[in-house]
Amino acid sequence: MPTAVIRETSTITAKGQTTVPKSVRRALGVDCGGKIVFRVEGARITVSSAETAHRDPALGAYLALIAGNLAHGRNVRELPPGLARAMRNLASQVPVSLEEKLDGDVAL
């Protein structure tokens, strides 16, 4: 099914502000107080909901796969030892500081 194309025009004020058209807000699933993300790549600019901006599609697909297996009564087994070892090794290479301040809004 083709994705609907929405084309709207919005004026930028002297203060650099604009109103996000209702059809665009609806398509992004945001409303008053919601947050959006602007991504600039050369001359191309995309706008997305901040709620979906940090979602990892691979992780989402993996979690959906596990949920489907559980819903159909399939057992989830332990990871093969070699894979678990490789994952621990990779994770140990990522520096983590519990004292480091996080950028942006954080909801715990």
Side-chain angles (χ1 to χ4, degrees):
M1 177 183 348
T3 304
V5 175
I6 299 172
R7 181 184 164 102
E8 294 281 355
T9 301
S10 184
T11 302
I12 299 174
T13 69
K15 292 185 177 184
Q17 299 173 336
T18 189
T19 299
V20 178
K22 185 176 184 177
S23 61
V24 175
R25 293 192 315 266
R26 189 177 298 147
L28 293 174
V30 296
D31 205 349
C32 181
K35 295 187 182 279
I36 56 176
V37 174
F38 295 90
R39 179 181 171 137
V40 180
E41 296 179 69
R44 181 182 172 100
I45 300 170
T46 57
V47 180
S48 60
S49 167
E51 297 297 318
T52 60
H54 300 294
R55 290 188 183 155
D56 181 340
L59 180 59
Y62 178 67
L63 293 175
L65 176 69
I66 291 174
N69 283 339
L70 292 173
H72 289 93
R74 297 185 196 106
N75 293 328
V76 178
R77 298 185 304 254
E78 292 182 19
L79 292 174
L83 177 58
R85 195 170 30 258
M87 290 173 72
R88 279 194 300 275
N89 183 36
L90 286 171
S92 71
Q93 296 174 29
V94 178
V96 176
S97 170
L98 298 178
E99 304 303 318
E100 182 178 345
K101 294 190 187 262
L102 300 175
D103 292 333
D105 293 336
V106 179
L108 300 177

